[in-house]
Amino acid sequence: MNYLIETIGCQMNVCESDWLGSVLSTYGMSKVSSLSDADIVILNTCSVRYQAEQKAFSYLGRAEEFRRQNPEIKIVVTGCMAERLGLKIKQRFKSVDLVVGAKDIDITALKIIDLCNIDAEKQEELDTHSDIVRYITIMRGCDNYCSYCVVPFVRGRETSLDAEIIVKKCSLFVKNGAKEIMLLGQNVNSYQYNDVNFTSLIKKISTINGLERIRFMTNHPKDLGDDLVSVMATEPKVCSHIHLPMQSASNKILKAMDRKYTYEHYLELINKLRNVITDVSITTDIIVGFPGETESDFEETLKAVKDIRFGGSYVFRYSPRPNTKASELVDDVPLEEKKSRHAIILKESNKISVEIVAAMVGSVQQVLAERFENSVIEARTRGGRKVFVKDGTGKDLGKHLNVVIKEAKINSLFGNIA
Ligand code: 5AD
Ligand code: SF4
């Protein structure tokens, strides 16, 4: 039996799809990438922005059309939109067989197995996945209730997973060939399980022999303590990249967003990180057009983008989400204005990214070889930039390589082994 997983949304979803896929493989199911090869289609959805839900609806429309010609195919919807809308999805798309919300992700695999009439006893050996990079969710949910955000409503309260189990899972990943582990959570740096906080968890994971790199995502500036900055500076396995969503640089807007920090505090964190981690790459999320954002609030954010020079920025137009505090505010920035602010920030941040990567041409970067496809090694720098190495071989997979950067594009670098 073949399954196709289509994932919309954040790294958490990518991780959960990855996990779901590995469980389904233990029941003898095979992953395919085209609808025409699939017996079951799983759509892992996102609710963070209006557009993400529209994307899911249009995918479901196409899947339904496909199902008309192939009535035996099964359709499953999981993730945040499944949690938020539940059975309403089935009312709108009659051919959806199963809806399982994000909070029930743990039982999704079993429900799918049941739907496909596979004997649950037939499970084969667990976790034989051999990717170089593995993802692991260490905490779920969010208690922050930023005023624009739907996540606390769909993902529920913040819960951290048992530290000992996390370390055991990471060891198993490494035993099966992983060299890099990405720790995931809505706010990884708020992790707390009994007396283990995020920094002590990183320290425990870094003792695993054979593990080369640790990454994590995403962080809330309010919880970024000196202990995390210091472990990033001193533990060689921890990569020098941090995703630290700023959202806005206007204190008035940050307050209305309930972000619980000021721009000055945010800037202090940036300076601290850059002072102790020389090659640190800082990426961010920005929302434009939040209710009440004036031209001068926007100018403050634009100035911050120019001053801070992020390694990369994800820029979003504000969209009101159900149940959130901000959805009660008048959405007073006209769509055209939101679009224009979005384009201005994106243009500036792209210009900066191009300058940053152009300055890397000629330098030697230490990269980890993650994949070998079409005779090219796909690797990543410690700062998280993708590097394509043209003269590598399959034997380099999982190894650290020193690569001379020959060419730079905004989202990828190209080079040869030094
Ligand atoms: N509108 C626009 N962007 C949003 N984000 C979260 N909620 C909204 C919303 N209602 C953005 C934030 C967050 C990222 C994952 O998505 O920037 O950091
Ligand atoms: Fe949403 Fe804020 Fe929680 Fe991030 S910290 S998931 S933006 S509520």
Side-chain angles (χ1 to χ4, degrees), residues 48-49 148 247 285 287 316-319 321:
V48 162
R49 280 170 299 278
Y148 52 81
Q247 313 298 6
D285 290 344
I287 300 176
F316 307 107
R317 278 187 267 138
Y318 169 72
S319 79
R321 306 306 292 130

Side-chain angles (χ1 to χ4, degrees), residues 142 144-146 148-149 151-152 186-187 220 247 259:
C142 180
N144 289 322
Y145 290 93
C146 299
Y148 52 81
C149 186
V151 168
Q186 232 72 50
N187 294 287
H220 195 300
Q247 313 298 6
R259 287 290 287 175

Side-chain angles (χ1 to χ4, degrees), residues 6 175 216 229 239 268 273 282 321 396 415:
E6 184 70 27
K175 197 172 140 244
F216 51 91
V229 179
C239 285
E268 216 175 280
L273 285 160
I282 304 168
R321 306 306 292 130
D396 296 323

Side-chain angles (χ1 to χ4, degrees), residues 199 223-232 269 272:
T199 307
D223 294 324
L224 180 64
D226 289 349
D227 55 338
L228 181 57
V229 179
S230 135
V231 86
M232 286 183 73
L269 294 175
K272 217 183 262 181

Side-chain angles (χ1 to χ4, degrees), residues 158-228:
E158 218 165 86
T159 43
S160 294
L161 280 77
D162 187 324
E164 225 172 279
I165 292 177
I166 294 172
V167 176
K168 273 192 190 147
K169 274 195 181 172
C170 292
S171 303
L172 185 60
F173 290 167
V174 174
K175 197 172 140 244
N176 287 336
K179 298 287 175 198
E180 176 176 316
I181 288 177
M182 167 81 108
L183 308 174
L184 294 169
Q186 232 72 50
N187 294 287
V188 276
N189 56 333
S190 320
Y191 177 89
Q192 188 76 50
Y193 187 83
N194 295 337
D195 57 350
V196 184
N197 69 10
F198 185 52
T199 307
S200 37
L201 179 70
I202 288 191
K203 286 184 181 159
K204 281 178 196 288
I205 296 173
S206 65
T207 62
I208 299 173
N209 279 331
L211 177 63
E212 305 276 352
R213 284 180 168 184
I214 302 170
R215 294 187 190 280
F216 51 91
M217 183 144 130
T218 178
N219 301 273
H220 195 300
K222 80 172 172 49
D223 294 324
L224 180 64
D226 289 349
D227 55 338
L228 181 57

